[in-house]
Amino acid sequence: MSPSASPKTRSTVTSFNAEDPQLRVFLHKLSATPGLAETDLHMVRVLEDLIDLLVERAVIRFTDLPPAAQEKLSARRSARVSMRSLHLLDDADGQVL
């Protein structure tokens, strides 16, 4: 295949029975155990606080972070400030009310 040619894509559709006992057991186990996504939300805030602390103590500079990280952190800070001004965040721990 030449470098300029694009590979053809093929879509595969698989049908399943929503009443399949194995599928139901799998979905139940998936929903019954706390996943990483739930703890990820808490870890995001921990990392934000850690970065703020490291910057505050001059261990790192905010500009040392990759530009994409700077943008994401700045966007989250702006969102929190906006939510606080609307009184949607609890000032003590930053939790949404």
Side-chain angles (χ1 to χ4, degrees):
M1 181 187 314
S2 70
S4 62
S6 63
K8 293 183 179 181
T9 58
R10 191 172 79 190
S11 172
T12 304
V13 177
T14 305
S15 63
F16 61 92
N17 178 2
E19 299 301 319
D20 181 348
Q22 288 180 323
L23 178 61
R24 290 172 111 21
V25 167
F26 171 77
L27 292 174
H28 176 71
K29 285 181 181 177
L30 190 62
S31 66
T33 56
L36 291 177
E38 184 178 317
T39 59
D40 285 351
L41 295 175
H42 298 291
M43 280 304 296
V44 167
R45 186 55 198 249
V46 168
L47 290 173
E48 286 179 78
D49 290 346
L50 176 61
I51 291 168
D52 288 344
L53 179 65
L54 293 173
V55 169
E56 180 182 308
R57 293 192 178 175
V59 175
I60 64 169
R61 292 177 302 209
F62 186 74
T63 55
D64 291 340
L65 299 170
Q70 292 177 38
E71 291 170 17
K72 289 174 185 168
L73 286 166
S74 294
R76 287 186 57 84
R77 285 184 184 134
S78 295
R80 273 200 308 279
V81 167
S82 295
M83 292 178 83
R84 262 194 209 103
S85 69
L86 296 173
H87 304 292
L88 295 176
L89 284 180
D90 178 10
D91 288 333
D93 60 6
Q95 296 294 316
V96 176
L97 298 176

